[in-house]
Amino acid sequence: MEVFKTKEALRAYLKPLRALGKKVALVPTMGALHNGHISLIKLAQGRADVIICSIFVNPTQFTDPKDLEKYPRPIEHDLAMLDAAGCNGVFMPDVNEMYPSGADEDWHIDLGKAEFLLEGQFRKGHYQGVTQIVKKLFDAVEPDVAMFGQKDFQQVLMIKNMLSHFNLPITIVTCPIIREDDGLAMSSRNIHLSKTDRKNALVLSKSLQFVLDNFDNYTVEELETKAKSFYKNLDGVELDYFTIANGNTLENAKYKEAPNLVALVAAKVGSTRLIDNMIIK
Ligand code: PAF
């Protein structure tokens, strides 16, 4: 597996492969890899000839500097996992390589109303930072296809909006959430959970599963109220939102008959903020 620190080295590697007609897939990550990321590599292998994984902890998408500072960076472990998964190349630039004029460089695009809903209410400017770095990664790799996890449901929507904004010819693939045996969605942040937090964190997948299992029995409002009640009297868990929404607009769904419904949740468990979702239809 090749490791690239600069865009120039990465482009020099990809150019002859492209000339041979090879298709390139990009799997963008911030590292601290788990089996969810590896599933993206595996799915990419079915769609492209050359798989590039990027590892870059992007400063512009963190609203809380403490969160950026404590973001896990187990780089040796990440490289070993990618190598074992058969990834062809890893792009690991430093901050100057991606932001030569400083991380405060100008970036603002219209991502639509959904930017300001759900995560957008709790992490101001987050999706501007995400789309800013993903556009830079797309420019560096020029992939045919890019893989993203469904766990960051709103992120995928924002990236698709960014793609339309710039009219980029890249296929975005949304990959299913990979869960631990007990239902917890895999996340790089799970390593921050204490033993008690880890148990409490199951409330996210349990409340979502409740909605899925009982969708035919209640109205949308009743389902949301019942799902939210899972979080009452649970010490150390603070619910930010639980919503059943239109998967295209993220607006709260009023009727069960509406198409593309998804249940989305965010909660702080101990000091770790977790998100999860399940597609209803
Ligand atoms: O999902 C992530 O890990 C990040 O938001 C991404 C897409 C790699 C951009 O930094």
Side-chain angles (χ1 to χ4, degrees), residues 33-43 78 81-82 85:
L33 303 182
H34 49 70
N35 285 336
H37 295 109
I38 298 306
S39 77
L40 305 191
I41 302 283
K42 296 286 175 198
L43 289 171
D78 288 352
M81 275 184 101
L82 291 173

Side-chain angles (χ1 to χ4, degrees), residues 28-30 58 61 130 133-134 148 152 155:
T29 80
M30 297 207 297
N58 174 39
Q61 70 187 74
V130 168
I133 190 61
V134 172
F148 294 92
D152 293 291
Q155 167 168 282

Side-chain angles (χ1 to χ4, degrees), residues 208-244:
L208 290 166
Q209 192 62 50
F210 171 85
V211 167
L212 218 62
D213 293 344
N214 292 280
F215 189 69
D216 291 338
N217 306 334
Y218 302 104
T219 64
V220 168
E221 212 181 315
E222 284 167 345
L223 284 163
E224 286 175 342
T225 306
K226 285 180 186 292
K228 284 178 191 168
S229 73
F230 279 59
Y231 296 79
K232 286 205 181 111
N233 310 321
L234 198 53
D235 275 351
V237 181
E238 214 179 288
L239 180 65
D240 280 348
Y241 59 80
F242 189 106
T243 182
I244 298 174

Side-chain angles (χ1 to χ4, degrees), residues 113-152:
K113 275 198 219 154
E115 178 190 353
F116 306 106
L117 302 173
L118 310 182
E119 288 305 290
Q121 289 188 313
F122 291 87
R123 305 170 78 185
K124 302 262 183 261
H126 174 64
Y127 291 115
Q128 290 297 329
V130 168
T131 51
Q132 178 183 29
I133 190 61
V134 172
K135 171 71 165 57
K136 284 172 182 282
L137 293 167
F138 283 175
D139 289 347
V141 180
E142 295 184 50
D144 298 283
V145 47
M147 321 294 288
F148 294 92
Q150 183 205 311
K151 191 172 79 67
D152 293 291

Side-chain angles (χ1 to χ4, degrees), residues 65-86:
K66 276 197 226 115
D67 200 19
L68 170 61
E69 206 178 291
K70 76 170 197 191
Y71 203 83
R73 291 166 171 88
I75 196 63
E76 293 309 320
H77 167 265
D78 288 352
L79 292 177
M81 275 184 101
L82 291 173
D83 198 22

